Amino acid sequence: MSNEKELCDFCGGELLSGKKNLEFKVKNEIILCRHIPAKICTECGEAYLDAETSEKVEIFLKNAKQLKPLEYIPMAVYESSLVLR
């Protein structure tokens, strides 16, 4: 068994097991999935899903419109011209 640390592909930070809220864009809707198990970078927060979890999320997203969400939350949307001025 290897004691080698798993490292983030983006910043090289250490990956630790945890849970993270993940956002997915499906057509013109953003879906927030709470408490998804993942390996999470201790430096930049990037989340890595294992194959089984990734497959389950993919199946969920294909069927999400037929399920009742826990809640709806408002979201502000801004044009880049306001962000980048």
Side-chain angles (χ1 to χ4, degrees), residues 12-70:
E14 184 178 359
L15 300 180
L16 298 178
S17 294
K19 293 187 179 189
K20 186 161 181 167
N21 296 341
L22 299 175
E23 298 166 6
F24 301 95
K25 186 172 181 182
V26 180
K27 297 191 181 176
N28 283 336
E29 190 170 49
I30 295 175
I31 295 174
L32 175 66
C33 299
R34 292 185 176 158
H35 310 118
I36 303 298
K39 296 278 183 157
I40 303 166
C41 177
T42 57
E43 296 298 318
C44 71
E46 184 68 25
Y48 294 82
L49 305 182
D50 65 28
E52 181 182 353
T53 302
S54 183
E55 187 175 331
K56 287 179 179 181
V57 167
E58 209 171 301
I59 291 167
F60 165 78
L61 292 173
K62 287 179 184 174
N63 299 301
K65 280 301 228 180
Q66 295 143 2
L67 302 170
K68 183 179 180 198
L70 179 64

